[in-house]
Amino acid sequence: SAQLLETLFSRLLTSNPCPNINTEPVIWQLVRLLAAHEDSGLKGKIRKLAQILAEYQPDIRRVVVTKRKAFEEAVKGLGCHGLTPDVGGLTHLHVALKNEITNHIEAYKTVLHKLDDLGLVTNDSKKPVDASHHRLLSLQFEDVQQRLIDNTTLLTTLDKPALKQLKVLIETLSKRVQNDKEALFCISQLKRLQPIDENKPVATLLMTFTKGCGALLELMQAPESPCHSDGYHSESEQEVDKRNDATDRYAALYFQNRPRALEALDSLPELQYATQLKAKILFSVVVLAFRTCKNLRESKLRETLRSLHVDERTSAAHVF
């Protein structure tokens, strides 16, 4: 029960040294309860527990914030499957793709016929020597004029606005595939918490747990101290925003991309049961990436100082 967990973590907070216990399983059970019930009495029962958990593991609030953002982005992605612009107006993406590909096929067929009709690709008309620099500089007026007419005919057939939408449509299709992957990945994470009713809309499931995350974050808020001053900030708002943004990005990297990386490592038979080794591999990647970025930064700074003829020794203290 919530009261027993509250007592347990309260004692853990006061113990010395404080044991390192992962609170995520408890946190996600609270999110599940808050997502499934809107009873105000439930919030009152678990408010103290939520605050103690946030105090026991301070970064857990950031984890919940990151997860809520992931759910929100997944819901936004589900809503990006609407109509797409086409030559005749708005239509479904698959219809637009079919029309565009059909236009390409017809244009390619027309160009093939024109190439044959103009005799531009016959074995007798095209020889390697015809493309030599000396031959090109010796063409007469009529030859250049005919070449211009032939190339203009082909260009007019191929260079049409209607044939330039395929790349845009493919990019749209790629984004939609990625959005659906994100949504299903979030659902697969929710399935680990509780059985999911697959007959319910995916957006409904995601928004329900988004609401649960938001409710838990509200409960984690500690009451403000009476000595709190709204007019005083130890650091600028911009610095706080930058720091929070960097923390959010790292949290997203660790809590969203890490499980996917582990799943990729699970596909390797040699590492299937090597849990600790897989964790060490991921940690090593992070460490090496940090060192690489740091060394690259220092190298770029040294190159810049040398280019500006600045003494590295006198500037090192200010730059590094």
Side-chain angles (χ1 to χ4, degrees):
S1 67
Q3 189 173 4
L4 290 175
L5 290 172
E6 179 183 331
T7 303
L8 171 63
F9 282 99
S10 296
R11 293 187 176 182
L12 291 176
L13 273 173
T14 58
S15 60
N16 189 15
C18 183
N20 184 16
I21 298 178
N22 186 15
T23 62
E24 281 196 49
V26 180
I27 288 294
W28 295 122
Q29 288 303 319
L30 294 180
V31 170
R32 182 182 64 83
L33 290 174
L34 292 170
H37 303 87
E38 297 184 0
D39 183 12
S40 58
L42 174 63
K43 293 183 178 181
K45 293 178 181 178
I46 65 175
R47 181 183 300 274
K48 185 63 176 177
L49 173 60
Q51 294 174 356
I52 291 176
L53 291 174
E55 184 180 358
Y56 179 79
Q57 190 173 346
D59 62 335
I60 197 63
R61 190 176 188 279
R62 187 71 58 186
V63 175
V64 179
V65 170
T66 302
K67 189 65 66 177
R68 183 180 64 173
K69 287 184 178 180
F71 291 159
E72 291 173 346
E73 291 298 322
V75 173
K76 289 181 182 178
L78 290 173
C80 294
H81 289 252
L83 300 179
T84 187
D86 195 15
V87 177
L90 295 177
T91 185
H92 293 283
L93 176 62
H94 297 157
V95 176
L97 280 170
K98 181 181 178 181
N99 294 338
E100 185 68 14
I101 293 173
T102 302
N103 292 335
H104 276 258
I105 293 174
E106 294 299 327
Y108 297 155
K109 288 181 178 179
T110 302
V111 171
L112 289 175
H113 288 304
K114 288 186 179 296
L115 288 171
D116 292 335
D117 293 341
L118 296 173
L120 299 176
V121 291
T122 60
N123 294 331
D124 297 335
S125 63
K126 292 294 182 182
K127 299 177 181 178
V129 69
D130 294 335
S132 66
H133 187 69
H134 178 73
R135 173 73 176 85
L136 295 176
L137 295 182
S138 64
L139 293 178
Q140 298 178 358
F141 177 82
E142 292 182 356
D143 297 328
V144 176
Q145 187 179 45
Q146 186 60 44
R147 183 176 64 185
L148 174 61
I149 294 173
D150 294 341
N151 287 337
T152 302
T153 302
L154 297 176
L155 181 62
T156 303
T157 306
L158 289 174
D159 190 19
K160 294 181 179 179
L163 297 179
K164 297 181 179 180
Q165 296 297 318
L166 185 59
K167 182 179 180 181
V168 177
L169 294 175
I170 292 176
E171 291 177 352
T172 302
L173 182 63
S174 176
K175 290 180 181 178
R176 293 186 178 187
V177 169
Q178 187 61 34
N179 289 338
D180 283 346
K181 284 183 178 180
E182 294 293 337
L184 294 182
F185 179 74
C186 290
I187 292 296
S188 65
Q189 289 183 315
L190 295 180
K191 286 182 178 180
R192 299 175 184 176
L193 301 179
Q194 67 174 23
I196 296 296
D197 184 2
E198 296 186 357
N199 294 324
K200 288 186 177 181
V202 175
T204 300
L205 295 172
L206 294 175
M207 287 189 291
T208 300
F209 275 85
T210 300
K211 181 187 67 176
C213 291
L216 182 61
L217 290 172
E218 291 180 2
L219 296 179
M220 285 182 174
Q221 293 286 354
E224 292 188 0
S225 170
C227 298
H228 174 73
S229 174
D230 293 334
Y232 174 76
H233 298 280
S234 59
E235 51 186 337
S236 67
E237 295 290 341
Q238 186 177 9
E239 291 176 350
V240 173
D241 292 340
K242 288 182 179 180
R243 184 189 63 189
N244 291 340
D245 181 63
T247 307
D248 289 342
R249 290 187 180 185
Y250 176 79
L253 176 68
Y254 187 77
F255 293 105
Q256 292 184 25
N257 298 335
R258 182 174 61 93
R260 300 180 188 179
L262 286 174
E263 290 177 1
L265 292 176
D266 287 338
S267 63
L268 300 176
E270 297 83 356
L271 299 177
Q272 186 174 4
Y273 302 104
T275 305
Q276 293 185 354
L277 178 58
K278 287 183 288 187
K280 290 180 179 179
I281 290 175
L282 293 180
F283 182 75
S284 299
V285 170
V286 174
V287 173
L288 292 175
F290 172 78
R291 290 179 179 175
T292 301
C293 292
K294 182 180 179 182
N295 293 336
L296 180 61
R297 172 182 175 273
E298 293 176 354
S299 175
K300 293 294 184 182
L301 286 173
R302 283 193 292 268
E303 291 178 4
T304 303
L305 292 175
R306 282 196 295 267
S307 299
L308 297 174
H309 303 289
V310 177
D311 189 355
E312 297 181 21
R313 292 171 296 180
T314 58
S315 303
H318 301 284
V319 176
F320 297 108

